PDB file of all heavy atoms in Angstrom:
ATOM      1  N   ASP I 460      41.571  38.943-204.254  1.00 95.00           N
ATOM      2  CA  ASP I 460      40.457  38.336-204.993  1.00 95.00           C
ATOM      3  C   ASP I 460      40.002  39.245-206.130  1.00 95.00           C
ATOM      4  O   ASP I 460      39.744  38.781-207.253  1.00 95.00           O
ATOM      5  CB  ASP I 460      39.281  38.066-204.049  1.00 95.00           C
ATOM      6  CG  ASP I 460      39.480  36.811-203.207  1.00 95.00           C
ATOM      7  OD1 ASP I 460      40.264  35.942-203.635  1.00 95.00           O
ATOM      8  OD2 ASP I 460      38.865  36.706-202.132  1.00 95.00           O
ATOM      9  N   LEU I 461      39.896  40.538-205.843  1.00 96.00           N
ATOM     10  CA  LEU I 461      39.471  41.494-206.864  1.00 96.00           C
ATOM     11  C   LEU I 461      40.471  41.557-208.008  1.00 96.00           C
ATOM     12  O   LEU I 461      40.087  41.513-209.191  1.00 96.00           O
ATOM     13  CB  LEU I 461      39.302  42.877-206.232  1.00 96.00           C
ATOM     14  CG  LEU I 461      39.033  44.031-207.208  1.00 96.00           C
ATOM     15  CD1 LEU I 461      37.697  43.832-207.922  1.00 96.00           C
ATOM     16  CD2 LEU I 461      39.064  45.379-206.481  1.00 96.00           C
ATOM     17  N   LEU I 462      41.757  41.642-207.686  1.00 96.00           N
ATOM     18  CA  LEU I 462      42.775  41.762-208.729  1.00 96.00           C
ATOM     19  C   LEU I 462      42.845  40.521-209.601  1.00 96.00           C
ATOM     20  O   LEU I 462      43.086  40.615-210.808  1.00 96.00           O
ATOM     21  CB  LEU I 462      44.138  42.045-208.091  1.00 96.00           C
ATOM     22  CG  LEU I 462      44.281  43.411-207.411  1.00 96.00           C
ATOM     23  CD1 LEU I 462      45.648  43.553-206.749  1.00 96.00           C
ATOM     24  CD2 LEU I 462      44.058  44.547-208.408  1.00 96.00           C
ATOM     25  N   ILE I 463      42.631  39.363-209.002  1.00 95.00           N
ATOM     26  CA  ILE I 463      42.607  38.128-209.799  1.00 95.00           C
ATOM     27  C   ILE I 463      41.439  38.167-210.781  1.00 95.00           C
ATOM     28  O   ILE I 463      41.570  37.786-211.958  1.00 95.00           O
ATOM     29  CB  ILE I 463      42.529  36.899-208.880  1.00 95.00           C
ATOM     30  CG1 ILE I 463      43.862  36.711-208.138  1.00 95.00           C
ATOM     31  CG2 ILE I 463      42.195  35.635-209.677  1.00 95.00           C
ATOM     32  CD1 ILE I 463      43.833  35.638-207.088  1.00 95.00           C
ATOM     33  N   LYS I 464      40.272  38.638-210.325  1.00 95.00           N
ATOM     34  CA  LYS I 464      39.116  38.760-211.219  1.00 95.00           C
ATOM     35  C   LYS I 464      39.401  39.732-212.360  1.00 95.00           C
ATOM     36  O   LYS I 464      38.910  39.566-213.479  1.00 95.00           O
ATOM     37  CB  LYS I 464      37.897  39.239-210.435  1.00 95.00           C
ATOM     38  CG  LYS I 464      37.336  38.216-209.458  1.00 95.00           C
ATOM     39  CD  LYS I 464      36.178  38.817-208.670  1.00 95.00           C
ATOM     40  CE  LYS I 464      35.651  37.832-207.628  1.00 95.00           C
ATOM     41  NZ  LYS I 464      34.574  38.441-206.795  1.00 95.00           N
ATOM     42  N   LEU I 465      40.213  40.754-212.060  1.00 95.00           N
ATOM     43  CA  LEU I 465      40.527  41.769-213.078  1.00 95.00           C
ATOM     44  C   LEU I 465      41.683  41.360-213.987  1.00 95.00           C
ATOM     45  O   LEU I 465      42.089  42.122-214.859  1.00 95.00           O
ATOM     46  CB  LEU I 465      40.852  43.102-212.404  1.00 95.00           C
ATOM     47  CG  LEU I 465      39.690  43.767-211.662  1.00 95.00           C
ATOM     48  CD1 LEU I 465      40.156  45.017-210.927  1.00 95.00           C
ATOM     49  CD2 LEU I 465      38.553  44.115-212.626  1.00 95.00           C
ATOM     50  N   GLY I 466      42.238  40.159-213.778  1.00 93.00           N
ATOM     51  CA  GLY I 466      43.227  39.627-214.720  1.00 93.00           C
ATOM     52  C   GLY I 466      44.669  39.666-214.274  1.00 93.00           C
ATOM     53  O   GLY I 466      45.568  39.430-215.082  1.00 93.00           O
ATOM     54  N   VAL I 536      40.323  49.911-215.958  1.00 96.00           N
ATOM     55  CA  VAL I 536      39.148  49.877-215.089  1.00 96.00           C
ATOM     56  C   VAL I 536      39.217  51.011-214.069  1.00 96.00           C
ATOM     57  O   VAL I 536      38.183  51.548-213.648  1.00 96.00           O
ATOM     58  CB  VAL I 536      39.005  48.506-214.391  1.00 96.00           C
ATOM     59  CG1 VAL I 536      38.737  47.411-215.409  1.00 96.00           C
ATOM     60  CG2 VAL I 536      40.228  48.168-213.559  1.00 96.00           C
ATOM     61  N   LYS I 580      36.405  46.665-224.616  1.00 96.00           N
ATOM     62  CA  LYS I 580      36.908  45.489-223.903  1.00 96.00           C
ATOM     63  C   LYS I 580      36.774  45.662-222.385  1.00 96.00           C
ATOM     64  O   LYS I 580      36.362  44.729-221.675  1.00 96.00           O
ATOM     65  CB  LYS I 580      38.374  45.257-224.284  1.00 96.00           C
ATOM     66  CG  LYS I 580      39.015  44.049-223.627  1.00 96.00           C
ATOM     67  CD  LYS I 580      40.466  43.910-224.071  1.00 96.00           C
ATOM     68  CE  LYS I 580      41.145  42.733-223.356  1.00 96.00           C
ATOM     69  NZ  LYS I 580      42.571  42.593-223.770  1.00 96.00           N
ATOM     70  N   THR I 581      37.101  46.850-221.888  1.00 96.00           N
ATOM     71  CA  THR I 581      37.055  47.100-220.449  1.00 96.00           C
ATOM     72  C   THR I 581      35.626  47.143-219.932  1.00 96.00           C
ATOM     73  O   THR I 581      35.324  46.577-218.870  1.00 96.00           O
ATOM     74  CB  THR I 581      37.780  48.417-220.109  1.00 96.00           C
ATOM     75  OG1 THR I 581      39.098  48.377-220.646  1.00 96.00           O
ATOM     76  CG2 THR I 581      37.865  48.618-218.613  1.00 96.00           C
ATOM     77  N   THR I 582      34.733  47.815-220.656  1.00 95.00           N
ATOM     78  CA  THR I 582      33.331  47.878-220.212  1.00 95.00           C
ATOM     79  C   THR I 582      32.696  46.489-220.230  1.00 95.00           C
ATOM     80  O   THR I 582      31.913  46.154-219.329  1.00 95.00           O
ATOM     81  CB  THR I 582      32.519  48.836-221.089  1.00 95.00           C
ATOM     82  OG1 THR I 582      32.691  48.503-222.485  1.00 95.00           O
ATOM     83  CG2 THR I 582      32.953  50.277-220.873  1.00 95.00           C
ATOM     84  N   LYS I 583      33.060  45.676-221.208  1.00 95.00           N
ATOM     85  CA  LYS I 583      32.536  44.303-221.237  1.00 95.00           C
ATOM     86  C   LYS I 583      33.037  43.505-220.033  1.00 95.00           C
ATOM     87  O   LYS I 583      32.275  42.758-219.397  1.00 95.00           O
ATOM     88  CB  LYS I 583      32.950  43.600-222.528  1.00 95.00           C
ATOM     89  CG  LYS I 583      32.414  42.179-222.662  1.00 95.00           C
ATOM     90  CD  LYS I 583      32.846  41.540-223.973  1.00 95.00           C
ATOM     91  CE  LYS I 583      32.206  40.158-224.157  1.00 95.00           C
ATOM     92  NZ  LYS I 583      32.476  39.241-223.039  1.00 95.00           N
ATOM     93  N   GLN I 584      34.315  43.669-219.703  1.00 95.00           N
ATOM     94  CA  GLN I 584      34.878  42.965-218.550  1.00 95.00           C
ATOM     95  C   GLN I 584      34.154  43.357-217.264  1.00 95.00           C
ATOM     96  O   GLN I 584      33.798  42.491-216.449  1.00 95.00           O
ATOM     97  CB  GLN I 584      36.368  43.296-218.425  1.00 95.00           C
ATOM     98  CG  GLN I 584      37.062  42.633-217.236  1.00 95.00           C
ATOM     99  CD  GLN I 584      38.479  43.140-217.034  1.00 95.00           C
ATOM    100  OE1 GLN I 584      38.837  44.234-217.477  1.00 95.00           O
ATOM    101  NE2 GLN I 584      39.301  42.347-216.366  1.00 95.00           N
ATOM    102  N   LEU I 585      33.901  44.655-217.076  1.00 95.00           N
ATOM    103  CA  LEU I 585      33.242  45.116-215.860  1.00 95.00           C
ATOM    104  C   LEU I 585      31.777  44.689-215.814  1.00 95.00           C
ATOM    105  O   LEU I 585      31.246  44.375-214.731  1.00 95.00           O
ATOM    106  CB  LEU I 585      33.347  46.640-215.761  1.00 95.00           C
ATOM    107  CG  LEU I 585      34.758  47.184-215.511  1.00 95.00           C
ATOM    108  CD1 LEU I 585      34.760  48.710-215.528  1.00 95.00           C
ATOM    109  CD2 LEU I 585      35.302  46.676-214.193  1.00 95.00           C
ATOM    110  N   LYS I 586      31.125  44.647-216.976  1.00 95.00           N
ATOM    111  CA  LYS I 586      29.733  44.174-216.998  1.00 95.00           C
ATOM    112  C   LYS I 586      29.664  42.688-216.683  1.00 95.00           C
ATOM    113  O   LYS I 586      28.776  42.240-215.953  1.00 95.00           O
ATOM    114  CB  LYS I 586      29.103  44.473-218.369  1.00 95.00           C
ATOM    115  CG  LYS I 586      28.724  45.934-218.555  1.00 95.00           C
ATOM    116  CD  LYS I 586      27.905  46.166-219.816  1.00 95.00           C
ATOM    117  CE  LYS I 586      28.740  46.052-221.071  1.00 95.00           C
ATOM    118  NZ  LYS I 586      27.978  46.425-222.290  1.00 95.00           N
ATOM    119  N   ASP I 587      30.605  41.917-217.222  1.00 95.00           N
ATOM    120  CA  ASP I 587      30.625  40.471-216.947  1.00 95.00           C
ATOM    121  C   ASP I 587      30.854  40.188-215.459  1.00 95.00           C
ATOM    122  O   ASP I 587      30.391  39.174-214.934  1.00 95.00           O
ATOM    123  CB  ASP I 587      31.721  39.789-217.777  1.00 95.00           C
ATOM    124  CG  ASP I 587      31.395  39.776-219.263  1.00 95.00           C
ATOM    125  OD1 ASP I 587      30.227  40.003-219.614  1.00 95.00           O
ATOM    126  OD2 ASP I 587      32.326  39.548-220.076  1.00 95.00           O
ATOM    127  N   LEU I 588      31.585  41.085-214.784  1.00 95.00           N
ATOM    128  CA  LEU I 588      31.860  40.919-213.358  1.00 95.00           C
ATOM    129  C   LEU I 588      30.791  41.593-212.492  1.00 95.00           C
ATOM    130  O   LEU I 588      30.914  41.619-211.252  1.00 95.00           O
ATOM    131  CB  LEU I 588      33.229  41.519-213.014  1.00 95.00           C
ATOM    132  CG  LEU I 588      34.449  40.819-213.618  1.00 95.00           C
ATOM    133  CD1 LEU I 588      35.717  41.626-213.351  1.00 95.00           C
ATOM    134  CD2 LEU I 588      34.598  39.401-213.059  1.00 95.00           C
ATOM    135  N   ASN I 589      29.761  42.140-213.150  1.00 94.00           N
ATOM    136  CA  ASN I 589      28.671  42.831-212.450  1.00 94.00           C
ATOM    137  C   ASN I 589      29.168  44.021-211.621  1.00 94.00           C
ATOM    138  O   ASN I 589      28.595  44.346-210.574  1.00 94.00           O
ATOM    139  CB  ASN I 589      27.896  41.860-211.548  1.00 94.00           C
ATOM    140  CG  ASN I 589      27.210  40.764-212.333  1.00 94.00           C
ATOM    141  OD1 ASN I 589      26.625  41.021-213.393  1.00 94.00           O
ATOM    142  ND2 ASN I 589      27.290  39.535-211.842  1.00 94.00           N
ATOM    143  N   LEU I 590      30.235  44.669-212.087  1.00 94.00           N
ATOM    144  CA  LEU I 590      30.762  45.829-211.390  1.00 94.00           C
ATOM    145  C   LEU I 590      30.171  47.130-211.929  1.00 94.00           C
ATOM    146  O   LEU I 590      30.201  48.157-211.248  1.00 94.00           O
ATOM    147  CB  LEU I 590      32.289  45.868-211.498  1.00 94.00           C
ATOM    148  CG  LEU I 590      33.021  44.735-210.773  1.00 94.00           C
ATOM    149  CD1 LEU I 590      34.523  44.835-211.005  1.00 94.00           C
ATOM    150  CD2 LEU I 590      32.718  44.759-209.281  1.00 94.00           C
ATOM    151  N   ILE I 591      29.648  47.107-213.167  1.00 94.00           N
ATOM    152  CA  ILE I 591      28.929  48.264-213.706  1.00 94.00           C
ATOM    153  C   ILE I 591      27.627  47.778-214.331  1.00 94.00           C
ATOM    154  O   ILE I 591      27.500  46.611-214.719  1.00 94.00           O
ATOM    155  CB  ILE I 591      29.756  49.045-214.755  1.00 94.00           C
ATOM    156  CG1 ILE I 591      30.069  48.166-215.981  1.00 94.00           C
ATOM    157  CG2 ILE I 591      31.022  49.618-214.152  1.00 94.00           C
ATOM    158  CD1 ILE I 591      30.705  48.943-217.127  1.00 94.00           C
ATOM    159  N   THR I 592      26.681  48.680-214.395  1.00 93.00           N
ATOM    160  CA  THR I 592      25.423  48.401-215.086  1.00 93.00           C
ATOM    161  C   THR I 592      25.302  49.337-216.282  1.00 93.00           C
ATOM    162  O   THR I 592      25.898  50.421-216.307  1.00 93.00           O
ATOM    163  CB  THR I 592      24.225  48.618-214.151  1.00 93.00           C
ATOM    164  OG1 THR I 592      24.219  49.988-213.698  1.00 93.00           O
ATOM    165  CG2 THR I 592      24.306  47.683-212.946  1.00 93.00           C
ATOM    166  N   PHE I 600      28.473  52.693-211.963  1.00 92.00           N
ATOM    167  CA  PHE I 600      29.297  51.745-211.203  1.00 92.00           C
ATOM    168  C   PHE I 600      28.441  51.156-210.095  1.00 92.00           C
ATOM    169  O   PHE I 600      27.814  51.889-209.321  1.00 92.00           O
ATOM    170  CB  PHE I 600      30.532  52.441-210.625  1.00 92.00           C
ATOM    171  CG  PHE I 600      31.784  51.618-210.757  1.00 92.00           C
ATOM    172  CD1 PHE I 600      32.643  51.800-211.822  1.00 92.00           C
ATOM    173  CD2 PHE I 600      32.077  50.624-209.829  1.00 92.00           C
ATOM    174  CE1 PHE I 600      33.784  51.034-211.953  1.00 92.00           C
ATOM    175  CE2 PHE I 600      33.211  49.857-209.949  1.00 92.00           C
ATOM    176  CZ  PHE I 600      34.080  50.058-211.020  1.00 92.00           C
ATOM    177  N   ALA I 601      28.432  49.823-210.001  1.00 90.00           N
ATOM    178  CA  ALA I 601      27.503  49.143-209.099  1.00 90.00           C
ATOM    179  C   ALA I 601      28.074  48.861-207.725  1.00 90.00           C
ATOM    180  O   ALA I 601      27.321  48.721-206.761  1.00 90.00           O
ATOM    181  CB  ALA I 601      27.028  47.824-209.742  1.00 90.00           C
ATOM    182  N   ASP I 602      29.399  48.750-207.597  1.00 91.00           N
ATOM    183  CA  ASP I 602      30.019  48.351-206.328  1.00 91.00           C
ATOM    184  C   ASP I 602      30.854  49.518-205.800  1.00 91.00           C
ATOM    185  O   ASP I 602      31.918  49.829-206.333  1.00 91.00           O
ATOM    186  CB  ASP I 602      30.885  47.114-206.529  1.00 91.00           C
ATOM    187  CG  ASP I 602      31.323  46.487-205.222  1.00 91.00           C
ATOM    188  OD1 ASP I 602      31.754  47.248-204.328  1.00 91.00           O
ATOM    189  OD2 ASP I 602      31.261  45.245-205.087  1.00 91.00           O
ATOM    190  N   VAL I 605      34.549  48.618-204.544  1.00 95.00           N
ATOM    191  CA  VAL I 605      35.479  48.408-205.655  1.00 95.00           C
ATOM    192  C   VAL I 605      35.817  49.733-206.309  1.00 95.00           C
ATOM    193  O   VAL I 605      36.978  50.024-206.621  1.00 95.00           O
ATOM    194  CB  VAL I 605      34.879  47.426-206.689  1.00 95.00           C
ATOM    195  CG1 VAL I 605      35.773  47.354-207.932  1.00 95.00           C
ATOM    196  CG2 VAL I 605      34.718  46.041-206.083  1.00 95.00           C
ATOM    197  N   LEU I 609      39.590  51.384-206.666  1.00 96.00           N
ATOM    198  CA  LEU I 609      40.181  51.674-207.972  1.00 96.00           C
ATOM    199  C   LEU I 609      40.509  53.154-208.111  1.00 96.00           C
ATOM    200  O   LEU I 609      41.558  53.521-208.660  1.00 96.00           O
ATOM    201  CB  LEU I 609      39.219  51.232-209.081  1.00 96.00           C
ATOM    202  CG  LEU I 609      38.986  49.726-209.211  1.00 96.00           C
ATOM    203  CD1 LEU I 609      37.895  49.436-210.233  1.00 96.00           C
ATOM    204  CD2 LEU I 609      40.280  49.004-209.592  1.00 96.00           C
TER     205      LEU I 609
END
Side-chain angles (χ1 to χ4, degrees):
D460 281 337
L461 172 64
L462 293 177
I463 289 173
K464 290 177 183 176
L465 294 175
V536 295
K580 181 180 177 181
T581 306
T582 52
K583 182 179 185 304
Q584 179 188 22
L585 292 176
K586 284 189 287 186
D587 291 344
L588 293 172
N589 297 318
L590 294 177
I591 62 172
T592 60
F600 222 95
D602 192 315
V605 173
L609 293 173

